[in-house]
């Protein structure tokens, strides 16, 4: 792999831009190619088979762009399609996901603690976090809760307001999330409501989102393989499978600075 080749990231939509942003912060010399599958959003309610089919199509796009790494910037796709994608791309590129770095982080930081986790139905049903944490053989009690209203709520720009407070509080009051020391935000949309959750829990529990943890682990991988880009003069590319003005304006919020989205249908 060449140092100059771009890093590919993908998500069901624009939520993964929170990860892309963290990657750009920590790796400013890297060029990124982001793919948001807005035509098939949300992934959280889809079957594993559907998410696998979309992920393969997206991997083809990112492979064509010559990505030196493809980072699945979506928990739902990481839980459904990571193993399959690894097999599919073989030696052509490296596939990374957002779950493994988080599992390592949880394993090293929350031994003997009660940890809560919120995510989409697909992520929570897969029990991927439970299985991976169990394989670490550490004493951590993990309780998960599917919170399917949060993605559409955030996508519609509903955060830091009365309605989002009510929805988040309702979820936080669920029995699965009682007496926890930390709460894992296992969805790449949720960094946008991290502060709100922090306020609603009165800073009594640690709220952990994956963006920085994942970006750091990507950096470590590039360093280990000696494929860090030293200088980048090319601009980043942001592709979405279905373009609407509403995605264009929300993208700014997720990426925290203006970007240009280009339409790139997954099927011709
Ligand atoms: N951002 C995706 C994730 O991390 C979820 C959004 C969706 O349901 O499509 O799981």
């Amino acid at each position: 792999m060449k140092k100059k080749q771009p890093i590919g990231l993908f998500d069901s939509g624009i939520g993964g831009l929170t990860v892309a942003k963290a990657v750009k912060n920590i790796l400013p010399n890297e060029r990124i190619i982001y793919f948001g599958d807005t035509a098939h959003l949300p992934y959280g309610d889809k079957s594993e088979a559907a998410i696998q089919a979309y992920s393969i199509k997206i991997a083809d796009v990112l492979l064509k762009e010559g990505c030196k790494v493809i980072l699945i910037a979506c928990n739902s796709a990481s839980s459904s399609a990571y193993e399959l994608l690894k097999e599919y791309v073989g030696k052509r590129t490296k596939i990374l996901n957002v779950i493994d770095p988080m599992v390592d982080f949880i394993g090293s930081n929350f031994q003997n603690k009660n940890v809560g986790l919120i995510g989409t139905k697909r992520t929570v049903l897969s029990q991927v976090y439970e299985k991976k944490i169990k394989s670490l053989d550490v004493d951590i009690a993990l309780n998960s809760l599917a919170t399917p209203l949060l993605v559409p709520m955030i996508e519609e720009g509903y955060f830091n307001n009365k309605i989002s407070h009510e929805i988040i509080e309702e979820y936080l009051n669920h029995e699965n999330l009682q007496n926890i020391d930390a709460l894992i935000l296992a969805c790449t949309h949720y960094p946008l409501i991290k502060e709100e959750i922090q306020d609603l829990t009165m800073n009594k529990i640690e709220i952990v989102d994956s963006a920085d943890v994942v970006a750091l682990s990507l950096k470590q991988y590039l360093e280990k393989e000696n494929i860090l880009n030293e200088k980048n003069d090319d601009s980043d590319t942001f592709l979405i499978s279905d373009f609407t003005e509403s995605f264009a304006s929300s993208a700014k919020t997720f990426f925290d600075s203006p970007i240009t989205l280009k339409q790139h249908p997954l099927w011709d």
Side-chain angles (χ1 to χ4, degrees):
M1 284 292 160
K2 302 245 172 61
K3 298 181 177 187
K4 286 254 166 255
Q5 287 174 260
I7 293 172
L9 296 105
F10 79 89
D11 178 53
S12 59
I14 47 183
L17 287 171
T18 56
V19 181
K21 176 73 192 169
V23 167
K24 284 303 280 186
N25 278 345
I26 197 170
L27 295 163
N29 289 331
E30 298 296 332
R31 178 159 71 93
I32 61 170
I33 309 226
Y34 181 89
F35 194 100
D37 190 11
T38 46
H40 302 114
L41 179 90
Y43 278 7
D45 301 339
K46 300 280 187 309
S47 68
E48 193 175 78
I51 297 174
Q52 288 178 341
Y54 305 146
S55 300
I56 297 258
K57 280 294 217 185
I58 298 168
D60 281 339
V61 174
L62 297 173
L63 281 169
K64 247 196 194 152
E65 298 282 346
C67 293
K68 60 184 172 188
V69 177
I70 295 177
L71 168 58
I72 311 175
C74 170
N75 279 266
S76 311
S78 293
S79 64
S80 303
Y82 171 59
E83 297 298 335
L84 182 79
L85 270 194
K86 265 200 313 189
E87 247 175 72
Y88 176 70
V89 307
K91 289 197 165 49
R92 290 181 288 172
T93 194
K94 174 78 176 175
I95 303 286
L96 296 174
N97 66 67
V98 283
I99 295 174
D100 289 330
M102 277 305 274
V103 167
D104 289 343
F105 183 87
I106 298 166
S108 347
N109 289 278
F110 300 119
Q111 294 229 28
N112 304 313
K113 302 265 193 227
N114 291 325
V115 177
L117 179 144
I118 53 175
T120 65
K121 282 191 213 163
R122 177 55 41 217
T123 301
V124 170
L125 274 175
S126 75
Q127 295 210 309
V128 61
Y129 279 90
E130 283 81 353
K131 289 176 198 155
K132 291 193 180 218
I133 285 173
K134 200 166 170 215
S135 74
L136 295 179
D137 204 19
V138 286
D139 198 5
I140 292 172
L142 183 71
N143 263 315
S144 303
L145 178 70
T147 48
L149 289 178
L150 297 183
V151 166
M153 178 191 95
I154 296 167
E155 293 260 340
E156 282 303 319
Y158 278 75
F159 41 93
N160 292 323
N161 67 21
K162 220 167 54 193
I163 294 172
S164 62
H165 278 20
E166 292 254 334
I167 295 175
I168 294 170
E169 256 190 328
E170 178 78 15
Y171 283 137
L172 290 174
N173 286 335
H174 191 279
E175 58 178 333
N176 290 16
L177 302 182
Q178 301 316 300
N179 304 315
I180 51 174
D181 304 296
L183 180 65
I184 309 301
L185 307 186
C187 174
T188 54
H189 278 71
Y190 298 174
L192 271 81
I193 51 167
K194 185 175 177 180
E195 271 178 34
E196 197 172 341
I197 298 178
Q198 234 146 13
D199 289 347
L200 288 169
T201 53
M202 289 175 288
N203 291 314
K204 285 196 184 124
I205 55 178
E206 194 173 336
I207 315 294
V208 187
D209 79 78
S210 57
D212 291 335
V213 174
V214 168
L216 181 65
S217 107
L218 170 64
K219 183 174 180 219
Q220 287 163 347
Y221 169 75
L222 298 177
E223 278 168 352
K224 186 170 70 87
E225 297 295 316
N226 196 22
I227 50 171
L228 272 172
N229 198 0
E230 280 128 29
K231 189 168 171 291
N232 175 31
D233 301 317
D234 298 318
S235 47
D236 299 321
T237 304
F238 299 91
L239 306 171
I240 55 173
S241 49
D242 187 31
F243 184 89
T244 67
E245 281 308 324
S246 124
F247 285 131
S249 65
S250 312
K252 242 191 350 244
T253 317
F254 282 87
F255 197 63
D256 207 20
S257 46
I259 51 175
T260 308
L261 300 178
K262 277 194 243 157
Q263 176 148 2
H264 188 299
L266 262 195
W267 273 272
D268 321 303

